[in-house]
Amino acid sequence: MSGIIAIVGRPNVGKSTLFNRLIEAKTAIVDAQSGVTRDRHYGQSTWNGKDFAVIDTGGLTINSDDVFENEIRKQVMLAMDEADVILFLVDVQSGITDLDDHIATMLRRSKKPFFLVVNKVDEGNRLYDATEFYSLGLGDYFAISGINGSGTGELLDAIVKVLPENKPEEEISSEVPNVVFVGRPNVGKSSFMNALIGEERNIVTPIAGTTRDSIQTRFTKFGYDINFVDTAGLRKKEKVNEDIEFYSVLRTIRSLETADVCVLMLDARDGIESQDMNILHLCIKNNKAVVVVVNKWDLIEKETNTARDFETRLREKMAPFNDVPIIFTSVLEKQRLQKVLEKIVDVFNNRKQRIPTSKLNEVMLEAVERFHPPAVKGKFIKIKYVTQLPTPFPSFAFFCSNAKYVPESYKRYLENQMRKNYNFEGVPIRIYMREK
């Protein structure tokens, strides 16, 4: 991933609409009422060969007694601090407000690259109205319509020019797994590493967000050679009162760049929550192998099928990507730590495996014969050939006629057949249909 983009602005200027447009999905709630966005949204996007994360923030306000608005302000400031590029969104229909002036002042003091984006320019006469925003003193602006997408292509062209370059995975991959511990604050990531290496390498306290920097540790015990990275929940001391979970996601985005395997650690008392799902989706979208570790299992009262039922619920929530190893541990009791190491190596090897083209065609073309792709709009699809692409993660190209008509449901069928015949446990698979 090459960077993080944060969308900021006052309430009801269309930040969530632009967010949905950039990630090409309707993830954020859009409503005419101001203040709808209180939770943060994270998404992935690609433009001109560059991958980047997009953060949708709540509307920024000042001098407000509303507890939600004060928290939103903290989160917006945090997003601006961590982002590589800031999009300052304003509304052409309402013109410049005092809040817009306030945000413009903040951006002038910031050393981050930013773009002034005038939204809701969906009619020709609005282009003239947009010239008012020159008076903010921020220079040129981009006139767009988040609803119909006009102008967003030019905006994205400008954004990717200032984003850092993608790091090719081929250059950072090695025979030694790069393993990153991810998860919400205070689930036991640092304690797990300390238990493995047998010393207090990382500071551990009951306070969520104690880890302030990413800490790398080379682990070479018991026949293993693994490079561990314990992600920061909090970087600076003055951030203690900020939204710690929001910050942990931002730091996770950074740490994913060099990881081969993500160990998603959960608290057994909480199960898998929305923030955990956000982090899991980030790992999957970045094509990283995943091991799920349910920590603090010693604190759970157990019956005959407690672990089985817990695992079933987890897999239901993680669907469709639920071919993931799930390990129940207790760092305090040092239970099943060795099993976690074994699974890390397993999924790392699964991610690197190469399947000979002849064997791949023998298996997958037989699966195609059993269940042909459905005709779409009267177009018949015939899959003729499949090959594994030379990427650091498992990706396969199926050469066929009318490739653009292959439905997503059939791609999922092909992926399921891959998993049935080959061991890709813990590894996302990418399926591409190419015209033959």
Side-chain angles (χ1 to χ4, degrees):
M1 186 157 32
S2 63
I4 301 174
I5 296 171
I7 306 172
V8 303
R10 59 183 175 81
N12 209 29
V13 294
K15 295 184 295 298
S16 295
T17 303
L18 178 59
F19 172 82
N20 289 342
R21 172 69 58 180
L22 293 182
I23 69 167
E24 297 180 331
K26 293 183 179 180
T27 301
I29 299 171
V30 178
D31 194 277
Q33 179 182 351
S34 66
V36 168
T37 301
R38 285 174 175 169
D39 295 323
R40 288 77 55 206
H41 295 97
Y42 323 94
Q44 251 64 45
S45 187
T46 301
W47 188 261
N48 288 350
K50 276 195 176 181
D51 303 319
F52 50 90
V54 186
I55 304 171
D56 174 28
T57 64
L60 188 63
T61 60
I62 55 175
N63 301 324
S64 172
D65 294 329
D66 187 301
V67 64
F68 285 114
E69 292 181 354
N70 287 331
E71 287 304 310
I72 288 169
R73 176 179 174 80
K74 292 178 184 178
Q75 293 155 11
V76 171
M77 298 296 293
L78 194 54
M80 291 173 64
D81 180 60
E82 188 65 18
D84 295 295
V85 177
I86 301 167
L87 302 186
F88 174 27
L89 204 63
V90 293
D91 182 351
V92 71
Q93 295 179 8
S94 56
I96 297 175
T97 67
D98 291 342
L99 269 173
D100 292 326
D101 278 324
H102 176 74
I103 297 170
T105 301
M106 291 167 53
L107 288 174
R108 290 191 202 99
R109 296 170 182 164
S110 172
K111 296 180 181 179
K112 299 289 178 70
F114 63 85
F115 295 95
L116 175 60
V117 183
V118 184
N119 193 25
K120 305 181 185 180
V121 185
D122 42 20
E123 299 176 5
N125 59 346
R126 296 288 188 192
L127 284 170
Y128 174 76
D129 297 336
T131 59
E132 172 189 2
F133 290 92
Y134 277 121
S135 63
L136 286 174
L138 300 178
D140 289 334
Y141 58 83
F142 288 86
I144 71 159
S145 170
I147 290 179
N148 63 37
S150 65
T152 53
E154 292 82 356
L155 173 62
L156 284 166
D157 286 340
I159 289 171
V160 297
K161 287 180 181 178
V162 299
L163 283 174
E165 291 297 323
N166 280 353
K167 295 181 181 180
E169 291 198 57
E170 292 85 350
E171 293 181 9
I172 60 177
S173 296
S174 68
E175 292 304 310
V176 178
N178 289 304
V179 180
V180 61
F181 286 81
V182 296
R184 291 180 293 111
N186 211 28
V187 294
K189 301 186 296 293
S190 297
S191 298
F192 188 91
M193 286 184 60
N194 288 342
L196 279 180
I197 63 179
E199 62 182 77
E200 296 300 311
R201 172 70 172 84
N202 301 334
I203 300 172
V204 178
T205 76
I207 302 171
T210 298
T211 302
R212 292 176 182 164
D213 294 292
S214 291
I215 301 172
Q216 296 195 25
T217 304
R218 190 68 171 262
F219 180 79
T220 55
K221 294 183 178 181
F222 315 119
Y224 293 98
D225 190 1
I226 300 172
N227 187 38
F228 286 117
V229 179
D230 183 23
T231 53
L234 202 61
R235 186 175 56 182
K236 300 176 183 176
K237 191 171 183 179
E238 61 266 27
K239 299 290 182 186
V240 167
N241 294 320
E242 299 284 7
D243 187 316
I244 296 171
E245 293 202 5
F246 180 41
Y247 198 88
S248 72
V249 172
L250 293 175
R251 300 304 299 164
T252 297
I253 291 171
R254 297 292 190 202
S255 64
L256 286 177
E257 294 180 352
T258 55
D260 300 307
V261 180
C262 296
V263 178
L264 174 59
M265 188 165 285
L266 311 177
D267 188 321
R269 298 168 297 179
D270 302 328
I272 189 164
E273 298 187 344
S274 59
Q275 196 77 319
D276 301 311
M277 292 301 299
N278 277 330
I279 295 172
L280 177 64
H281 291 150
L282 285 171
C283 298
I284 295 169
K285 288 192 176 230
N286 284 277
N287 304 302
K288 307 303 182 182
V290 177
V291 175
V292 175
V293 174
V294 182
N295 190 27
K296 306 183 183 180
W297 192 240
D298 56 306
L299 302 180
I300 300 297
E301 291 187 13
K302 301 171 188 65
E303 297 178 359
T304 305
N305 297 318
T306 302
R308 186 193 66 184
D309 295 342
F310 195 104
E311 181 175 336
T312 299
R313 290 194 299 272
L314 281 185
R315 295 194 185 280
E316 287 173 352
K317 290 185 177 181
M318 292 189 296
F321 181 54
N322 53 17
D323 184 16
V324 180
I326 298 174
I327 306 166
F328 297 91
T329 69
S330 167
V331 173
L332 188 63
E333 303 291 336
K334 293 185 168 54
Q335 294 175 351
R336 288 178 284 278
L337 304 189
Q338 183 82 9
K339 184 70 173 176
V340 176
L341 294 175
E342 292 173 5
K343 282 299 178 182
I344 285 172
V345 174
D346 287 346
V347 299
F348 174 70
N349 291 329
N350 292 346
R351 187 173 184 261
K352 318 191 287 186
Q353 72 173 306
R354 305 288 305 176
I355 303 172
T357 301
S358 58
K359 292 186 177 179
L360 189 60
N361 279 273
E362 181 180 328
V363 170
M364 294 308 298
L365 292 184
E366 181 181 335
V368 170
E369 282 299 315
R370 288 197 304 269
F371 177 44
H372 288 281
V376 179
K377 297 181 180 179
K379 304 287 186 181
F380 290 95
I381 301 162
K382 184 172 178 57
I383 296 176
K384 304 173 182 177
Y385 181 74
V386 57
T387 187
Q388 185 171 0
L389 299 174
T391 55
F393 52 89
S395 58
F396 301 89
F398 287 78
F399 292 87
C400 60
S401 58
N402 299 309
K404 65 181 179 179
Y405 293 109
V406 178
E408 286 299 320
S409 58
Y410 194 76
K411 292 180 185 178
R412 285 196 295 272
Y413 165 74
L414 294 175
E415 179 181 340
N416 290 336
Q417 293 301 307
M418 287 275 190
R419 295 189 182 279
K420 181 179 177 181
N421 288 279
Y422 303 103
N423 184 9
F424 285 114
E425 183 187 31
V427 183
I429 295 175
R430 298 291 173 225
I431 301 289
Y432 302 98
M433 311 308 293
R434 292 186 175 174
E435 196 69 33
K436 176 67 175 176

